[in-house]
Amino acid sequence: AWVLAGRAYPSGDLTEDWKKVLFNQFHDLAAGSGIGVIYKDAQKDYDWVRMSTSEISAGALQIVAERTDTSRRVKNPQGQALIVFNPVGWTRSGTVVAHLAGFPGGFTVDDPSNGSHFISFRLRRTGEFNYQLGKYDEETYLIPVRDVPALGYKTLRITPGCDEAACHSINDTVILSDDDLKPNNHSLWLDNDRIHLKVDDSTGCITSIVLKQSGTESIAPGACGNQLQFFKDTPKQYDAWNIDPGTLDAEPAVVEKADSVGAVQGPDYVKTIKITRHWQSSKFVQTIRLQGDIVDIENDIDWHEKHVLLKAAFPLSVKSDFATYEIPYGEIERPTTRNNSWEKAQFEVPAMRWADLSGAGPDGKVHGLSILNQDKYGYDDAGNVLRITLLRSPTWPDAQADQGHHHFHYALYPHAGTWKDALTVRHGWEYDYPLQAVVTTAHAGSLPAEHSFASVEPDNVVLTAVKKAEDANGLIFRVYEWAGKDNTVAEFHVPPGATGATVTNLMEQPEGDPLKIEGDVVKVPIQHNEILTIRVDYAKAGSSQ
């Protein structure tokens, strides 16, 4: 919006928002090891930042939507269009959550660019009930979309009405009949064109995840995947800070039988399995759904334990001496063995968007499984088991730490080959940065119905940031090489109108000679695991606030 529409760039507002975020990432506060009252203050700051940045983002997307020519994608002048934005630097497919009102009979979505036709599915009501109209003001819908351009958008057509029998709220839980409990009467199953998943209807365990293309099985034979495991967690000192050695060596408590395991009937991409459990004073509700090539696990937990650590465990069918974890601008391996004191000391691993265990399966084929997360950063591995840490419950310095309701997601990405072959890095970014949607009308505009503002190639280079330069009229693009390959040429496709480009350091200070811009493309060599930043200048961009 700043480069193409001349909108003033909100530098001042964003700087103040960053100050609030970074102030509240002081290590004790961010780690959950502060006294209770500081989290009330932190929540006020984060609420302000969420409001401020959401307003900035929505305003920028709206400006782009207003300038997009949607007239050819909508059947009539009274029709509506859905513009789906992709915030990552490569083309992607997936599902987008859209907030719409005024469709009591549902709607269908069409993508004229490839002839795709999708049914809308209501996720939940989110607005206030309007008693005058007799309905909720706004509802939330889940919509699949294909091939959204990198750092760009595509326009979909909305048609009111949904005659398909499957167009209903996916929150209406339906327990499947015996005929639907295939391939046997002890498993519920989810299925799409990529994954076949089974859940035991008694325990709630994921007992099978099969990749259809390769036929590989991710879960170890007879094992319980996504098993909730409870460990006694009593550090000798610094209760909220430490997980002591030996904590994970003890046999954990588990829930042998779920309270209920049910399925929500619907087409493949939204059919879900809902599992309810309880343990001691806490209740656990997990909803499992397939979204393309990942298994999303939504968690609603009412947590009332003391000195208990909770993990979700995944015994896998592969063997490897090492598991791999994402760290800032790179990855690190940790041993799956405990043969000496050095290996024993690496029992809990902090990581960012993903952890992965890949290796040879029983058939000799190399495959693996990545756990993707949005806000849970503790993992461990031992043998063929990969686990993610979900909750703790220290009592000092805050006696009520983490008590109450928790809502979060994590996902499973089963794949052929290694995590590098499977582009796990990209999947982690996509899981953290979902597609976004803006509803608009049929209108003419200077921008095409489908467009990419910028992108970066090849696959082993990931775009991690785009922002206005602090001290110049230019855009900063930051990338890194994640696959360990030398002599890669990073190819930046940038918005038109650039007057110059240069490599900078992390402080955005220019380094080296100016870069060539040919056909809105800037090419720069990048070495293995290198962090690279470039600045692309624009003479006619908008001002800064």
Side-chain angles (χ1 to χ4, degrees):
W2 173 70
V3 172
L4 299 178
R7 181 194 181 187
Y9 194 88
S11 299
D13 291 338
L14 289 175
T15 296
E16 289 304 309
D17 292 339
W18 270 118
K19 287 179 179 178
K20 286 183 172 63
V21 169
L22 296 176
F23 178 85
N24 287 293
Q25 294 200 3
F26 170 72
H27 63 265
D28 282 330
L29 196 159
S33 50
I35 59 175
V37 67
I38 68 174
Y39 295 100
K40 295 180 180 179
D41 288 338
Q43 188 63 58
K44 293 177 183 177
D45 283 344
Y46 280 121
D47 287 343
W48 175 270
V49 170
R50 181 179 294 275
M51 177 191 69
S52 172
T53 55
S54 294
E55 182 177 344
I56 290 169
S57 177
L61 296 182
Q62 191 61 45
I63 286 175
V64 176
E66 290 171 356
R67 285 160 173 75
T68 300
D69 185 355
T70 63
S71 59
R72 297 183 181 181
R73 293 281 171 100
V74 181
K75 291 181 177 179
N76 59 71
Q78 287 72 44
Q80 287 184 303
L82 189 74
I83 302 182
V84 180
F85 290 90
N86 175 13
V88 300
W90 55 89
T91 300
R92 66 190 281 200
S93 301
T95 55
V96 64
V97 174
H99 304 279
L100 296 99
F103 294 98
F107 59 90
T108 56
V109 177
D110 294 281
D111 182 353
S113 69
N114 57 29
S116 299
H117 173 79
F118 301 112
I119 303 168
S120 63
F121 282 83
R122 189 172 68 235
L123 281 172
R124 61 184 69 86
R125 294 185 173 99
T126 58
E128 295 295 325
F129 190 80
N130 188 320
Y131 288 94
Q132 184 175 357
L133 298 177
K135 64 183 181 68
Y136 284 81
D137 290 329
E138 187 178 73
E139 294 179 327
T140 304
Y141 293 85
L142 183 70
I143 301 167
V145 59
R146 296 174 185 166
D147 301 324
V148 185
L151 272 174
Y153 62 88
K154 73 164 21 183
T155 305
L156 308 179
R157 181 171 60 230
I158 299 175
T159 303
C162 187
D163 296 331
E164 288 86 347
C167 191
H168 60 76
S169 169
I170 68 170
N171 277 342
D172 297 335
T173 301
V174 178
I175 304 298
L176 299 184
S177 67
D178 285 347
D179 290 339
D180 294 314
L181 297 181
K182 298 174 181 178
N184 59 59
N185 288 339
H186 301 289
S187 296
L188 298 172
W189 53 275
L190 300 178
D191 193 86
N192 63 14
D193 59 347
R194 301 180 184 181
I195 297 172
H196 186 80
L197 178 144
K198 296 181 190 177
V199 173
D200 187 280
D201 66 350
S202 175
T203 63
C205 296
I206 296 176
T207 57
S208 175
I209 304 175
V210 175
L211 274 178
K212 289 188 172 181
Q213 185 173 7
S214 62
T216 54
E217 168 65 68
S218 295
I219 303 299
C224 175
N226 196 41
Q227 183 181 56
L228 298 183
Q229 298 184 346
F230 304 86
F231 294 86
K232 184 178 180 181
D233 184 20
T234 52
K236 293 180 180 178
Q237 57 182 351
Y238 300 113
D239 202 16
W241 287 259
N242 292 346
I243 300 174
D244 278 3
T247 299
L248 305 180
D249 296 339
E251 190 71 22
V254 298
V255 179
E256 297 289 350
K257 182 175 174 54
D259 297 332
S260 65
V261 182
V264 176
Q265 185 68 28
D268 290 342
Y269 74 91
V270 292
K271 181 178 173 184
T272 67
I273 294 175
K274 184 177 180 180
I275 304 160
T276 302
R277 303 179 179 93
H278 75 275
W279 185 78
Q280 294 191 160
S281 302
S282 301
K283 183 178 179 180
F284 309 87
V285 179
Q286 292 188 308
T287 303
I288 302 174
R289 60 174 57 90
L290 302 186
Q291 292 185 351
D293 53 5
I294 69 169
V295 181
D296 180 69
I297 301 175
E298 181 179 7
N299 297 266
D300 279 288
I301 298 177
D302 191 20
W303 183 246
H304 297 284
E305 306 305 324
K306 300 292 186 180
H307 292 293
V308 174
L309 181 149
L310 172 62
K311 283 182 174 284
F314 297 89
L316 304 180
S317 62
V318 298
K319 293 183 178 180
S320 175
D321 292 335
F322 294 93
T324 309
Y325 302 88
E326 187 189 40
I327 58 176
Y329 289 90
E331 76 287 333
I332 193 168
E333 291 185 335
R334 290 290 185 240
T336 59
T337 53
R338 299 292 183 266
N339 295 327
N340 53 55
S341 60
W342 292 90
E343 293 180 353
K344 290 178 181 178
Q346 300 177 52
F347 58 91
E348 182 78 0
V349 185
M352 293 179 65
R353 299 173 188 88
W354 56 268
D356 181 87
L357 184 60
S358 299
D363 57 1
K365 295 180 181 178
V366 175
H367 61 98
L369 182 135
S370 304
I371 301 178
L372 313 178
N373 85 84
Q374 295 173 335
D375 46 21
K376 297 294 177 182
Y377 307 111
Y379 296 90
D380 77 294
D381 60 81
N384 68 323
V385 179
L386 186 63
R387 298 187 290 203
I388 181 171
T389 304
L390 305 182
L391 288 168
R392 295 184 68 216
S393 47
T395 58
W396 182 79
D398 178 13
Q400 299 302 316
D402 290 342
Q403 299 296 298
H405 179 254
H406 296 259
H407 179 263
F408 56 90
H409 291 247
Y410 56 90
L412 313 178
Y413 172 42
H415 57 78
T418 68
W419 65 270
K420 292 183 179 181
D421 301 324
L423 300 178
T424 288
V425 172
R426 283 192 169 189
H427 280 72
W429 277 87
E430 290 179 9
Y431 195 60
D432 268 20
Y433 294 91
L435 297 168
Q436 297 171 270
V438 171
V439 180
T440 188
T441 58
H443 57 259
S446 58
L447 293 173
E450 185 173 327
H451 184 60
S452 171
F453 292 109
S455 64
V456 179
E457 299 172 342
D459 291 349
N460 59 311
V461 180
V462 168
L463 179 67
T464 67
V466 181
K467 61 182 289 290
K468 182 190 173 295
E470 294 295 313
D471 303 314
N473 222 30
L475 285 177
I476 295 293
F477 293 87
R478 181 162 294 145
V479 301
Y480 81 100
E481 196 288 322
W482 55 262
K485 296 180 179 180
D486 281 314
N487 304 316
T488 296
V489 175
E491 188 171 301
F492 297 81
H493 296 253
V494 301
T499 59
T502 183
V503 172
T504 76
N505 60 22
L506 294 178
M507 298 299 291
E508 302 183 9
Q509 298 164 337
E511 293 185 340
D513 297 329
L515 302 170
K516 291 182 179 181
I517 305 175
E518 298 179 347
D520 299 325
V521 175
V522 180
K523 296 182 179 181
V524 190
I526 185 171
Q527 302 305 315
H528 70 277
N529 304 114
E530 180 183 0
I531 303 171
L532 173 67
T533 306
I534 70 167
R535 190 188 77 203
V536 181
D537 298 319
Y538 291 88
K540 298 182 180 180
S543 63
S544 293
Q545 291 179 354

